[in-house]
Amino acid sequence: MPRTDLDQLWDQVRGATRAGQGLGSLSPSLAARQLGYDALTLCLATPRGHLELLWSDDAAGRLGPALDDLQYTLGEGPTLDAARTGRTITEPDLTRTPIDRWPQFLPAAARTRARTVLATPLHLGVVPAGALTAYGTTPGAPTAHQHESIVRFARAALLLLLQTSPARLLTGDHAQGITLYRAEVHQATGMLAVQLALPLDQALLRLRAHAYAHDRALLDVAHDILAHRLYLEPEDTTP
């Protein structure tokens, strides 16, 4: 019997597990194709309740990070819903999803190549700890086998992530493919907090609001702040 893409994926997962390797030993782009999708992202919840993107496709166009950035900036979307509710979120055609579900995310997502999404929660015990999200560029509902494979891979990916050393997660080990994707966003947030005398949460809201208002990627705004190309003025609180 010929070996399928999924057979190869499970072989890679088993090999990484036996070798004690972390999730970074697997290619997100290849895993996405083996699962029948075009992009994958894996996010874990932080103690402050935000989702941190730790593993994502590295193909041209970086579809996964772009969709994840939109959700992080707008505060809504399938990844956030899956992580918050602990339930798998499936949308076979984002262009036909009722707008009231994600009124800001859907118009923004329509400007990307993404047309279908499946987001499944990651669980530590019974507690949702993040989400694995698969994006496709062609509309269509997943088959039962495809759905089962995504859920199975999410469990395996979390176990591999837990095998990644804390030092690599904190500092970003590019050889292993694990890095804090939003490290510069956090740095820019800290800089804004000092400049504007704001708590970190409010500084992050200012950063996100500026990115949304100017239709820019959050990471690009963070780059400009860190490079002193962009300065945000304190809000006028005078009655």
Side-chain angles (χ1 to χ4, degrees):
M1 180 180 297
R3 293 178 54 74
T4 67
D5 285 345
L6 278 175
D7 290 331
Q8 295 175 20
L9 177 60
W10 304 137
D11 282 349
Q12 292 159 10
V13 168
R14 285 190 290 268
T17 301
R18 285 194 298 267
Q21 297 173 329
L23 182 60
S25 62
L26 300 185
S27 162
S29 298
L30 177 58
R33 293 194 297 272
Q34 290 167 325
L35 289 163
Y37 283 87
D38 297 292
L40 280 178
T41 63
L42 184 145
C43 298
L44 281 189
T46 69
R48 299 182 69 87
H50 302 300
L51 287 182
E52 182 66 53
L53 178 61
L54 293 180
W55 187 77
S56 61
D57 56 283
D58 52 8
R62 295 183 62 77
L63 181 63
L67 271 294
D68 195 77
D69 265 351
L70 285 177
Q71 295 177 79
Y72 190 84
T73 301
L74 301 173
E76 63 181 37
T79 301
L80 298 177
D81 281 3
R84 185 182 67 251
T85 65
R87 298 195 302 269
T88 296
I89 306 296
T90 303
E91 285 296 332
D93 189 347
L94 288 170
T95 65
R96 296 179 178 272
T97 302
I99 191 66
D100 58 355
R101 181 163 196 181
W102 300 308
Q104 297 182 86
F105 171 73
L106 286 170
R111 297 195 291 271
T112 74
R113 296 178 296 117
R115 291 298 175 264
T116 184
V117 60
L118 192 160
T120 190
L122 304 172
H123 288 95
L124 287 174
V126 297
V127 179
L132 177 83
T133 305
Y135 301 98
T137 56
T138 302
T143 65
H145 183 57
Q146 196 174 23
H147 186 286
E148 178 186 349
S149 296
I150 289 283
V151 172
R152 178 184 172 188
F153 181 73
R155 292 195 296 266
L158 180 57
L159 291 175
L160 288 174
L161 186 63
L162 295 175
Q163 289 185 178
T164 304
S165 74
R168 284 175 175 163
L169 283 177
L170 292 174
T171 63
D173 183 346
H174 294 278
Q176 282 290 315
I178 294 292
T179 187
L180 294 180
Y181 176 73
R182 294 196 182 90
E184 290 173 311
V185 171
H186 302 319
Q187 292 167 5
T189 298
M191 183 179 290
L192 277 182
V194 173
Q195 291 174 348
L196 305 181
L198 292 173
L200 285 171
D201 286 350
Q202 291 183 31
L204 178 59
L205 286 176
R206 285 294 309 276
L207 192 66
R208 290 165 62 181
H210 182 90
Y212 175 69
H214 293 82
D215 194 24
R216 298 189 63 199
L218 190 62
L219 197 57
D220 289 344
V221 174
H223 286 163
D224 284 352
I225 288 175
L226 291 173
H228 304 288
R229 291 189 296 265
L230 174 65
Y231 297 88
L232 300 188
E233 297 295 330
E235 291 183 326
D236 185 1
T237 57
T238 304

